[in-house]
Amino acid sequence: IEVMIFKGETMLKPNSEIAKILIKKFCDYYQQRNMDKLLSLFSKESYMLGSAMNESRYGIEAIKAQLNRDWAQSDKAAIEIIEFLPAPLDASWCTVFARANLTVNNQNFSFDNLRGSIYITKENGSWKIAHMHSSFADNRNPKNHSFPVQVQI
């Protein structure tokens, strides 16, 4: 995204609407498995965090390795944004609740508890994703509990 026009003004400052556009593009390119376009969304020193123990990726090559791992473990994968959570217009981030739709070994799976957020930065005149966190809520964690343990107090 070279220059963003929002309500007739050029966006020179971070903006949650720009973040929303970037996360939507991420979802589109992820489903298409378009590595070049996906990586073009990230700043050179981006950080990506996920649910698995080793999903802490820093830099373009590490993010590329993560995406390749995702695609090696699925026949198809799509991220469907369910809703954007409220954010101030001048925020440099956005947060979503999403659904992951996967096909693995010809079996379809759908997971509704995917949460994602990004933080954006400007790099060489373009808005980029500087930080991305996506993870699934731990289904061992009971509703209204902060931790996945049940202890009588």
Side-chain angles (χ1 to χ4, degrees):
I1 298 173
E2 296 297 326
V3 176
M4 291 298 304
I5 305 297
F6 183 72
K7 293 186 180 175
E9 298 180 21
T10 301
M11 292 281 95
L12 301 176
K13 295 181 181 178
N15 179 294
S16 61
E17 292 301 315
I18 295 169
K20 288 178 183 180
I21 290 167
L22 286 171
I23 206 164
K24 286 177 186 177
K25 285 182 178 281
F26 177 87
C27 294
D28 290 343
Y29 299 154
Y30 187 87
Q31 182 175 357
Q32 296 166 15
R33 297 184 181 220
N34 189 325
M35 184 66 76
D36 291 336
K37 285 187 177 181
L38 267 172
L39 295 178
S40 76
L41 298 175
F42 289 89
S43 68
K44 292 177 186 171
E45 297 183 5
S46 290
Y47 221 104
M48 178 186 275
L49 298 170
S51 296
M53 295 299 288
N54 65 338
E55 287 183 351
S56 176
R57 310 292 185 164
Y58 175 75
I60 296 295
E61 287 305 312
I63 291 170
K64 182 177 181 179
Q66 177 63 48
L67 295 168
N68 280 326
R69 185 179 93 172
D70 288 0
W71 296 337
Q73 294 178 12
S74 63
D75 305 318
K76 292 181 186 176
I79 301 166
E80 175 188 348
I81 296 171
I82 297 170
E83 74 175 301
F84 285 95
L85 278 63
L89 181 59
D90 63 350
S92 54
W93 53 271
C94 75
T95 303
V96 298
F97 286 147
R99 176 180 298 114
N101 298 307
L102 308 169
T103 303
V104 178
N105 293 330
N106 295 318
Q107 293 182 27
N108 295 322
F109 300 91
S110 186
F111 302 99
D112 289 332
N113 57 351
L114 180 60
R115 303 166 185 189
S117 61
I118 65 168
Y119 176 83
I120 62 173
T121 190
K122 207 165 204 183
E123 183 178 271
N124 298 324
S126 296
W127 291 106
K128 302 284 185 173
I129 298 170
H131 175 84
M132 173 177 270
H133 179 210
S134 58
S135 60
F136 292 98
D138 189 334
N139 62 5
R140 298 173 301 161
N141 199 18
K143 194 172 189 173
N144 299 319
H145 284 85
S146 298
F147 308 103
V149 295
Q150 294 194 22
V151 177
Q152 289 279 319
I153 298 179

